Amino acid sequence: MANLDQIDRKLLAELQNEGRVTNVELAHRVGLTAPPCLRRVRALEEEGVIRGYHADLDASQLGFAITVFAMVSLKSQAESALREFEEHMAQLPEVRECHMLNGEIDFILKIVSRDLQSFQEFLTSKLTPAPNVASVKTSLTIRTAKHEPGVPLG
């Protein structure tokens, strides 16, 4: 875990809320001048605390009308089988998130698709036949009540 002071935490909170804020404005918000603010941000980037900057895109505006969560059980939980499955999921652009779980289900996936027909095709041609898959259970998202990327810093 990174050793962060209060100013670092303020920087991270501001950047998490608005990744496109200028360095001058960011410095003002956290009570620094621009040069030390930039040094701190660069240090946080180099340490891997800040992994990148992203635009928050509206999936439906881009034609991805449905989001599905898939619970995947594997035939084997051997490390090589887990890695093979993870590597396969990394190659599928529809799979936006892939989390290994403990318990009955081995993985939960967040999948986006243009429509139900496209999802059905993805399910039968790419997900179900993926390496080591024993079973897949899916749930279609009806609505999203909260979507807040990042971590609570406040």
Side-chain angles (χ1 to χ4, degrees):
M1 191 168 100
N3 187 13
L4 305 174
D5 64 16
Q6 193 60 32
I7 293 174
D8 288 335
R9 289 186 176 282
K10 286 181 183 178
L11 285 168
L12 293 170
E14 291 292 337
L15 286 169
Q16 186 170 252
N17 286 334
E18 186 182 352
R20 293 186 63 179
V21 64
T22 66
N23 183 59
V24 172
E25 177 61 23
L26 180 61
H28 175 72
R29 290 181 190 178
V30 300
L32 293 174
T33 60
C37 180
L38 185 59
R39 281 194 296 274
R40 281 177 175 259
V41 170
R42 289 223 171 109
L44 291 165
E45 291 169 347
E46 289 169 8
E47 292 169 16
V49 176
I50 298 174
R51 294 186 303 198
Y53 301 88
H54 310 279
D56 186 9
L57 306 178
D58 185 329
S60 63
Q61 292 278 344
L62 297 167
F64 294 93
I66 65 170
T67 300
V68 178
F69 287 92
M71 287 66 72
V72 180
S73 295
L74 300 182
K75 296 173 188 169
S76 166
Q77 287 73 35
E79 187 61 33
S80 60
L82 297 171
R83 287 196 192 286
E84 185 179 12
F85 178 79
E86 290 169 336
E87 289 167 5
H88 187 75
M89 292 304 104
Q91 301 304 311
L92 301 175
E94 299 91 342
V95 176
R96 305 312 299 166
E97 296 180 27
C98 176
H99 303 274
M100 188 171 135
L101 306 176
N102 71 342
E104 287 184 44
I105 303 299
D106 294 310
F107 287 89
I108 188 166
L109 310 175
K110 180 180 177 183
I111 301 164
V112 297
S113 190
R114 296 197 177 277
D115 52 41
L116 283 173
Q117 183 177 349
S118 299
F119 173 70
Q120 182 67 33
E121 183 179 321
F122 170 82
L123 180 65
T124 58
S125 67
K126 294 181 181 176
L127 183 54
T128 304
N132 198 34
V133 170
S135 69
V136 178
K137 295 178 183 176
T138 61
S139 292
L140 180 66
T141 300
I142 295 171
R143 72 173 167 229
T144 300
K146 181 175 183 179
H147 172 74
E148 193 165 340
V151 296
L153 291 167

